[in-house]
Amino acid sequence: MEEAGVRRITRPFQGKRGRLLMAAVFAGALSALTALLALAAPHRSFLHVATNLSTWPGRTFPSSSRASAFADVAISPDGDRVAVVWPEAYQDGGSARGSVFLRWASESTGNGWSSGVQVFAGSAEQCAVRAAVAMTGTTAYVAYVTWSPCDNPSYQTIYYQTYQLGQALGTPQEVTRAVGLGTDPGLTDVDIALDGEGNPHFVYAYFDRTAGGDVGSLYYTWFKDGQKKPQERVSDPDQNARRPAIAWSGDAIHVTWMAEVAVQGGKSYRIYYRRRTLGEGGTWGELRKFFDQGTTYPPFDPDVAACGDQVYVVWDIGYECQEVSSQIQCLQFTLAYIRSGDYGSSWPIDVGGAIWCEVGGTERGQVYVYTSTNSQSIWEYGQFLRPSVALDGQGKPTVAWHVNYGSQSNPNYDILYREAESVPADTSQCISWSEPISLTQNRNGQSASPVVVRSSVSDTYPYLAYVWSSTDSPQAAGADWETYYDGNAYGDYPRVFLPVVFRNYVGGSGGGGGEG
């Protein structure tokens, strides 16, 4: 049976692989079952209640709308503390500019979500456009990209700052700077990961048109004892590389990205991966190419997660796309992943290329195609599927993404996720996945661009941050976007109760009202 918003097809380029008595009996049984489930259902703590983090008591807003950008979420190694960061076009007492906010919560203290911490105050002279977060036990590391001035930047900077939870912000540290941009988009993306000693590692993209074409390059650097190490190039010079993601496990840093590469007669769209050993003398391993297609099935939006010896890369794939005004546009997408079982040293690659699988499918030839778009006319947060992957303590993945149940002109976005049910030891074999779980289907408005994390030791639920708009026309001028968090514990409850349990909840500890 097909689900709304998704159809299952065969991928053409991968091939192979007494009614009253019955009513009375039913009513009695249902009543008894409901009572039993009410007694058996676990206590649902505040970290498993959906919360609007963009608003809290005492916060005032200017007359113009506020707009959260892509949010990020991190969890402490012991699974007790969660932090969410986001850039937001918000400024008290002035015009809206890109500031960076952080809120955090600790399950063990039970105090609910903190009030917002302004990591960076935007102004006309400098505003933030992207933010990412990682955590040690009690410290959040926040990386963010700033443009100066905001509307027509002459230079851009990536900073990182530490925040001792509940205490004080550290001094901003410069990661990299771009000057004399001209028409270049410049620094566009940043991601951060912490190694086992708490050293921050960064990967970022710089887009440069001065080289005679559209060239996006990926760079990496890291800090030890507060000292920045030399910048290293990750991508090859012939790649138009962007959308990097970074993770750490064992003795290695893992980086993935997408790239356009000029080929005879057009462009090739690819997903790449590289690993780097830790330390001063760390070296980059072989450049891995996981996916390579033309304009018909271009890949986008890779993400990477690692835990122990398990490393996963996930991405979305445009389905039956077309070129419009020199831009590839797709209305449908599917999800793919590939995995390593030895810290990224080896991957399932044979003479025919990388052996990837579909998220949800047991063979690459069986594809779930979801509706979305990458049209430039749609709001930025709804483009592609924007998948995110996280691993639990057993190395099992959870993948979250968004899907449009409406149309491009009248969108209706919801967030879905799947959890691995069983993982074969052979990494060339596909995983058995749960059915898609809907996170936001009963919340009015649009929910998009999820980021998922999981604890590696103590938690059994995925935690997600995403952006949400209450309007059905979020691409309209003045639309209001907000940052939401959800820690979905619905797995402990019968699915039939999902639409009614904790829905339309208003309030929440620490002032962050929301819906569960």
Side-chain angles (χ1 to χ4, degrees):
M1 182 176 180
E2 293 184 356
E3 307 162 51
V6 56
R7 60 191 178 96
R8 187 174 177 138
I9 64 175
T10 300
R11 190 176 190 89
F13 64 95
Q14 288 293 350
K16 181 173 170 184
R17 305 225 207 239
R19 293 199 296 266
L20 288 176
L21 176 60
M22 287 296 295
V25 171
F26 178 76
L30 181 59
S31 176
L33 177 60
T34 301
L36 179 62
L37 289 170
L39 292 173
H43 170 69
R44 192 174 186 204
S45 62
F46 75 89
L47 275 182
H48 301 299
V49 176
T51 307
N52 184 341
L53 299 182
S54 300
T55 182
W56 56 85
R59 187 179 184 193
T60 59
F61 298 96
S63 57
S64 60
S65 67
R66 62 194 187 277
S68 293
F70 300 99
D72 196 20
V73 60
I75 189 169
S76 61
D78 62 1
D80 180 66
R81 289 163 293 279
V82 176
V84 177
V85 299
W86 68 97
E88 184 173 304
Y90 165 79
Q91 178 103 1
D92 276 319
S95 60
R97 297 293 180 180
S99 299
V100 176
F101 291 96
L102 177 149
R103 292 184 72 180
W104 68 278
S106 169
E107 189 75 85
S108 63
T109 62
N111 293 328
W113 285 94
S114 72
S115 291
V117 177
Q118 186 171 258
V119 178
F120 171 80
S123 67
E125 288 71 37
Q126 193 173 29
C127 59
V129 296
R130 286 288 191 273
V133 63
M135 286 186 70
T136 60
T138 58
T139 303
Y141 288 71
V142 183
Y144 50 95
V145 182
T146 65
W147 290 7
S148 308
C150 298
D151 299 327
N152 186 24
S154 57
Y155 71 92
Q156 300 167 341
T157 310
I158 296 178
Y159 295 100
Y160 92 89
Q161 266 178 279
T162 60
Y163 174 61
Q164 298 290 332
L165 300 183
Q167 299 181 42
L169 282 165
T171 302
Q173 302 291 312
E174 184 175 301
V175 176
T176 191
R177 175 174 291 205
V179 182
L181 297 168
T183 60
D184 290 347
L187 297 169
T188 55
D189 293 284
V190 64
D191 199 14
I192 180 174
L194 302 178
D195 62 31
E197 297 180 354
N199 298 311
H201 300 253
F202 304 90
V203 63
Y204 43 93
Y206 178 76
F207 197 88
D208 179 12
R209 289 196 177 99
T210 62
D214 292 342
V215 179
S217 301
L218 256 61
Y219 296 96
Y220 159 88
T221 191
W222 65 292
F223 284 69
K224 184 175 178 61
D225 299 326
Q227 298 299 310
K228 179 187 172 183
K229 302 303 177 181
Q231 175 179 273
E232 302 172 22
R233 187 183 182 115
V234 183
S235 60
D236 282 351
D238 66 339
Q239 299 177 9
N240 177 11
R242 56 193 186 275
R243 299 194 187 280
I246 190 171
W248 164 82
S249 69
D251 66 344
I253 287 292
H254 311 275
V255 178
T256 187
W257 67 97
M258 66 163 292
E260 297 176 9
V261 179
V263 296
Q264 186 174 6
K267 291 182 179 179
S268 176
Y269 296 81
R270 300 173 181 177
I271 300 296
Y272 284 107
Y273 163 89
R274 290 187 79 179
R275 72 188 295 270
R276 182 192 187 277
T277 53
L278 291 179
E280 301 278 356
T283 58
W284 289 98
E286 178 183 354
L287 180 68
R288 305 281 190 176
K289 183 173 64 176
F290 291 156
F291 194 86
D292 185 354
Q293 282 291 327
T295 58
T296 306
Y297 303 101
F300 307 95
D301 292 325
D303 192 26
V304 62
C307 181
D309 58 358
Q310 300 296 305
V311 185
Y312 282 73
V313 174
V314 63
W315 64 92
D316 53 19
I317 303 170
Y319 186 80
E320 296 180 352
C321 306
Q322 59 182 336
E323 188 168 344
V324 179
S325 301
S326 300
Q327 296 289 327
I328 299 301
Q329 293 188 4
C330 312
L331 295 178
Q332 294 181 318
F333 301 82
T334 189
L335 293 167
Y337 70 94
I338 191 170
R339 59 192 178 100
S340 168
D342 57 2
Y343 300 96
S345 295
S346 63
W347 296 82
I349 297 176
D350 59 21
V351 292
I355 303 174
W356 57 270
C357 293
E358 178 207 5
V359 176
T362 56
E363 297 179 11
R364 284 186 287 170
Q366 299 299 315
V367 177
Y368 291 88
V369 177
Y370 300 92
T371 302
S372 185
T373 181
N374 67 328
S375 169
Q376 298 303 306
S377 64
I378 198 69
W379 31 283
E380 185 179 9
Y381 317 116
Q383 294 177 7
F384 317 101
L385 298 183
R386 296 199 180 275
S388 175
V389 60
L391 306 184
D392 64 15
Q394 299 178 355
K396 288 185 176 180
T398 296
V399 176
W401 68 97
H402 64 225
V403 59
N404 183 8
Y405 289 107
S407 63
Q408 183 173 329
S409 59
N410 187 25
N412 180 21
Y413 273 77
D414 184 21
I415 290 172
L416 304 177
Y417 70 89
R418 287 184 188 261
E419 299 173 296
E421 294 183 334
S422 63
V423 179
D426 184 350
T427 58
S428 67
Q429 299 298 309
C430 297
I431 292 170
S432 175
W433 295 86
S434 70
E435 290 300 309
I437 300 170
S438 176
L439 190 73
T440 58
Q441 64 178 353
N442 292 313
R443 183 172 300 126
N444 293 330
Q446 312 299 325
S447 299
S449 296
V451 179
V452 61
V453 293
R454 298 197 72 141
S455 169
S456 62
V457 292
S458 62
D459 191 66
T460 57
Y461 310 114
Y463 296 158
L464 299 98
Y466 52 95
V467 291
W468 170 82
S469 176
S470 60
T471 176
D472 289 331
S473 300
Q475 68 269 42
D480 184 17
W481 284 92
E482 304 188 33
T483 293
Y484 254 80
Y485 161 90
D486 200 347
N488 192 350
Y490 303 138
D492 282 341
Y493 298 85
R495 293 289 164 79
V496 69
F497 292 105
L498 178 59
V500 295
V501 173
F502 285 95
R503 287 295 170 189
N504 298 319
Y505 171 85
V506 177
S509 302
E515 303 172 4

